[in-house]
Amino acid sequence: MSADDRRRKAERIRHLLDTEGDAVHENTQVFNEGRYESTENLDDYDELKDEARAIKEDAIERLPDLVDRVTEAVEANGGTVYLADDAADANRYLAEVVDGRDVVKSKSMTTEELDVNESLEGSGADVWETDLAEFVLQVADEAPSHIVAPAIHKSREEIATLFNEVFEPEEPLETAEELTRFAREYLGEKIRDAEVGMTGANFVTAETGTLALVTSEGNARKCVQATDTHVAVAGVEKVVPSVEDLQPFVELIGRSGTGQDVTSYVSLFTPPVDSPTFGEDDLEPGDDREFHLVLVDNGRMAMREDDQLRETLYCIRCSACANSCANFQHVGGHAFGGETYSGGIATGWEAGVHGQDSAAEFNDLCTGCSRCVNQCPVNIDIPWINTVVRDRINRGKDGDLDFLVEGLTPDDEPGGVDPQKRLFGNFDTLAKLGSTFAPLSNWVARTDTARALMERTLGVDSRRELPEFERESLVEWFESRGPRVSREAARRQVALYPDAYTNYVRTERGKAAVRVLEALNVRVDVPAAGESGRAPLSQGMVATARSNAEAVYDALAPAVAADHDVVVVEPSDLAMFHREYERLLPEDSYAALKDRSYELMEYVYGLLENGAGVDALPDGDDERVAYHSHCQQRTLDLEPYTVAVLEDCGFDVTTSDVECCGMAGSFGYKSEYYELSVDVGETLAEQFTTEDTADRTVVASGTSCLEQLDALLTRRPAHPVRLLDRE
Amino acid sequence: MSAEPIATFASSLEDLGVDLVRTAADEFASTVAPLLDAPAVGTPLPFESATLPDSVETDPTVAELEAAATGVTAAGYGIADYGSVVVQGGADGAEPVSLYADEHVAVVAASDVLPDMDAAFDRLAEDVRSGTRQSIVATGPSATADMGSLVEGAHGPMDVTVVLLEDR
């Protein structure tokens, strides 16, 4: 990306933060909290997710067969099925069916994907969106900013102003009730007069040709009942085997999306339906209603053949990945989205249906924080899809022509990778150099000239303070100091993993970790293991991440083989060991390291639970502490251990509840994203500057979180292990 | 049917803010009459000895349907865990009647209250296979938050009352 492109991107994000950020934040927050609450009350939540996942895996596996079956079933019911190859094909068929008649539509992202409205209007039809949010967007001539609540970026006041300007009602509209009533009546007439009702489908069952529509408004039901022709447009991936298979999805989709246990209506139509339709004055028999099911490929069958993108087809479009995403919560789908889809999973959808360029527009907004992973009702590894697509985007840019540069780069990537990504992806090399030449390297890096150059050529924002490298790395410090607990006296033996930040930048937390473990009678070693691969992975440099992972495994394998435990200070690196290494290392290496590795405070908790005396650690003496856990640490469910250890030691602990600090490794350094990063961070900073928290000692587990908090608070934050260190 | 699903059904409806009225079949007419704000429309009920009062229009015009304060229909079954009723409209017009009036009054037999979604989907699947063309799992009134805050009555009823027929 050129400096100009970065500036334009930053400007666009700034504009959206100013104009839409507040409404998006407020609304996604309601959905996000609602989801946590509603899923917590569901006893068999995890089992239902596994069941839903299994149904989707099976359905996509057998998709061609299921499409044949649904075609037979719909035809036997008296309807027709059209399998559309792409948008043009679908639109051509739809124009033929509609034939210039008036159309009322219920909400359908798939018709957004195909630009159905424009196409039908072009062929002379009147088309009305009857979902109230879609109606607002139709009137405003805007695109959805959220896949479930498409007008989430608009406040009530903005909608009122819009309606009053466009419709000039006698009494100006003001309240949500007035706006709803007005739209309901306005659209009621359109529904009564229309001849074609167009719906989407959340699910289609192959055996019986049944559509399941999940809605809170009654508009989809009305669009079907009030018209003579029902057209349903759905992606081909919506087909599941039978009606029984709908049950886990019905229990999960409302909870995962807007936080409702179930939406007002789950309509099972097996069309053509026979409800009476509207005549001039009387209801007339509905038994000669026409029905057309349009199943859309538009790239989906190719996604099915793609080992990395296939998982995207399991998506039920619930929006949990958007609502649980800190970046999305702050900037919304007009930035965090492509041509049609928005939120974390949109990268997979856009790459599959509109192509990589559409995905490239917003893919970097996924920072890999992983907060969406446990929220997805079909267990899609959304960060991984984002990483893979990023890797493909990297390689797509003249990658294979640049063989001269390739030989000179310090990584395993092709020559075309953006220099900014290459810089952050090779943090290990950078840190090693920075440490070797410290403090000189720090002084040089701090100069205005250097910062201006870095901003211009690499997009490193000059408003962000750079990390300061230590001359003596943690590994070097430990080599000259040596272990302090003898093998004979040791309760356990531990290899403390020196992640790149702990090794070269924040060595103080590594030293504290060594001393705290020793105080609990653990013999510690600090092997010279390199960067985990997190840094290159976050830039989409998968090959480099894999070679880093292999090197780390080689360095830690002797400790693992000797039955020692591996303790990790940096949560994002532990998350690599526990999550991403499954995709980067041979299965048995992954399993061995995963089984043996622990987050530092989790390990301390385990020691205390298994007989180590808490007296060996300092007494917290009711010191008031505000703790921010790390996003990936929380995804692994490891936040409670830090809290428990601190409380055991007598600290008074309160915690943040934001999804992510917004720094996310390199993200907050990038000039195009700096302001978004700070905007996300401010939400965390606000939680730590309340009446209750303003005077608390601030601790955080992640390096990035510490950097962000350091920038936004006046108190200097530290890793929680520092509170347990007597030095 | 044991008492347990009924108790769960009652508490789910209470959480949704949906009124639950219990009645024996032979007292149905007198129990239901005060619930039906005029003008009322309805579809004939499939329950023996539970018939709609004469004031309920069972063959409404489009205008009468749109002006209705109350729409009363049977519900094929209830789902205790969620407080849902399953409206199985067809040629009889239960779909428009349950959809256009300001308030939907759904009449369900106590013996048709199923414990959970699992049981409900087994029944729904069975019904589809035997020719039921539409089943709406309806939970509380229609609603939207699209206009800036939650509003009930969005292209559908703004109130729902469930009448439970206790001995069928």
Side-chain angles (χ1 to χ4, degrees), chain A residues 399-457:
Chain A
D400 27 58
L401 296 174
D402 220 348
F403 57 91
L404 276 178
V405 181
E406 221 159 296
L408 301 172
T409 57
D411 52 46
D412 295 331
E413 308 299 320
V417 177
D418 188 287
Q420 183 195 52
K421 288 200 161 78
R422 181 154 262 150
L423 170 80
F424 288 116
N426 289 298
F427 180 74
D428 204 29
T429 312
L430 185 72
K432 220 173 284 167
L433 283 170
S435 171
T436 306
F437 294 104
L440 181 66
S441 52
N442 296 322
W443 297 339
V444 173
R446 265 203 302 264
T447 61
D448 291 348
T449 321
R451 292 308 305 258
L453 186 70
M454 271 191 267
E455 175 149 333
R456 202 167 59 244
T457 57

Side-chain angles (χ1 to χ4, degrees), chain A residues 449-614:
Chain A
T449 321
R451 292 308 305 258
L453 186 70
M454 271 191 267
E455 175 149 333
R456 202 167 59 244
T457 57
L458 297 165
V460 176
D461 200 285
S462 48
R463 289 165 289 186
R464 190 63 87 173
E465 218 172 293
L466 294 177
E468 277 195 31
F469 299 108
E470 295 285 345
R471 181 69 185 237
E472 185 186 46
S473 73
L474 179 70
V475 170
E476 289 163 350
W477 170 80
F478 189 82
E479 261 169 17
S480 54
R481 171 190 181 272
R484 295 280 163 89
V485 176
S486 71
R487 279 192 185 83
E488 298 69 34
R491 174 187 301 280
R492 297 286 313 165
Q493 295 202 52
V494 153
L496 182 76
Y497 169 65
D499 65 86
Y501 259 89
T502 306
N503 196 31
Y504 297 116
V505 183
R506 294 205 176 242
T507 53
E508 77 286 350
R509 66 182 191 175
K511 294 173 190 171
V514 170
R515 288 189 291 261
V516 167
L517 290 169
E518 287 176 346
L520 296 169
N521 234 358
V522 170
R523 182 182 167 89
V524 181
D525 181 30
V526 184
E531 200 274 337
S532 70
R534 172 62 70 195
L537 197 77
S538 72
Q539 309 305 316
M541 296 159 61
V542 177
T544 308
R546 180 167 288 120
S547 71
N548 284 18
E550 285 162 356
V552 165
Y553 185 76
D554 289 345
L556 296 177
V560 172
D563 204 26
H564 297 176
D565 300 316
V566 175
V567 171
V568 183
V569 181
E570 175 58 38
S572 63
D573 291 303
L574 182 80
M576 280 296 280
F577 294 1
H578 282 224
R579 279 179 31 80
E580 284 85 359
Y581 274 18
E582 187 173 10
R583 300 178 187 271
L584 301 174
L585 291 180
E587 200 182 325
D588 48 350
S589 308
Y590 160 69
L593 184 55
K594 178 175 188 257
D595 289 349
R596 273 273 164 247
S597 53
Y598 303 88
E599 189 269 335
L600 171 61
M601 297 296 272
E602 174 197 18
Y603 195 73
V604 170
Y605 176 86
L607 293 169
L608 296 177
E609 284 294 294
N610 287 288
V614 74

Side-chain angles (χ1 to χ4, degrees), chain A residues 671-707:
Chain A
S671 56
E672 62 273 39
Y673 303 124
Y674 170 80
E675 282 160 74
L676 174 57
S677 164
V678 168
D679 200 60
V680 172
E682 291 289 359
T683 308
L684 169 59
E686 278 163 25
Q687 294 193 351
F688 283 178
T689 46
T690 64
E691 208 177 306
D692 173 58
T693 53
D695 63 342
R696 286 175 180 264
T697 303
V698 175
V699 288
S701 301
T703 305
S704 290
C705 326
L706 290 168
E707 289 180 339

Side-chain angles (χ1 to χ4, degrees), chain A residues 27 42 51 76-78 130-136 149-151 154-156 159 163 175-177 179-180 183-184 187-188 191-192 207-208 210 216-219 221-222 224-226 242-244 246-247 250-251 255 261-276 278-283, chain B residues 15-16 58-66 81-85 87 89-102 104 116-126 128-129 131-158 160:
Chain A
N27 291 323
L42 188 62
E51 217 182 305
N77 293 337
T130 64
D131 171 83
L132 296 181
E134 287 285 353
F135 175 60
V136 168
K154 288 191 121 46
S155 66
R156 177 183 55 80
I159 299 169
F163 278 18
T175 65
E177 285 79 10
L179 291 164
T180 301
R184 174 182 161 148
L187 291 168
I191 290 172
R192 224 190 112 172
E207 184 200 337
T208 54
T210 304
S216 281
E217 300 176 20
N219 63 316
R221 297 172 63 189
K222 285 188 172 175
V224 173
Q225 177 271 325
S242 69
V243 172
E244 282 91 341
L246 299 174
Q247 176 255 331
V250 166
E251 298 209 58
R255 297 177 196 267
D261 293 353
V262 65
T263 58
S264 301
Y265 304 123
V266 176
S267 306
L268 303 187
F269 294 121
T270 308
V273 298
D274 55 355
S275 286
F278 289 160
E280 195 62 36
D281 296 312
D282 294 316
L283 291 170
Chain B
D15 292 345
L16 291 167
T58 53
D59 187 18
T61 62
V62 175
E64 283 168 334
L65 189 67
E66 289 192 325
D81 275 358
Y82 286 84
S84 315
V85 292
V87 181
D92 67 348
E95 178 69 350
V97 166
S98 64
L99 197 48
Y100 279 85
D102 294 335
H104 176 214
D116 51 27
M117 281 293 177
D118 240 339
F121 272 87
D122 287 346
R123 275 283 287 275
L124 287 162
E126 215 176 281
V128 171
R129 287 185 192 111
T132 302
R133 285 294 171 104
Q134 72 180 44
S135 300
I136 312 292
V137 181
T139 311
S142 63
T144 183
D146 289 344
M147 298 294 177
S149 64
L150 185 74
V151 178
E152 298 190 327
H155 294 302
M158 57 189 79
V160 174

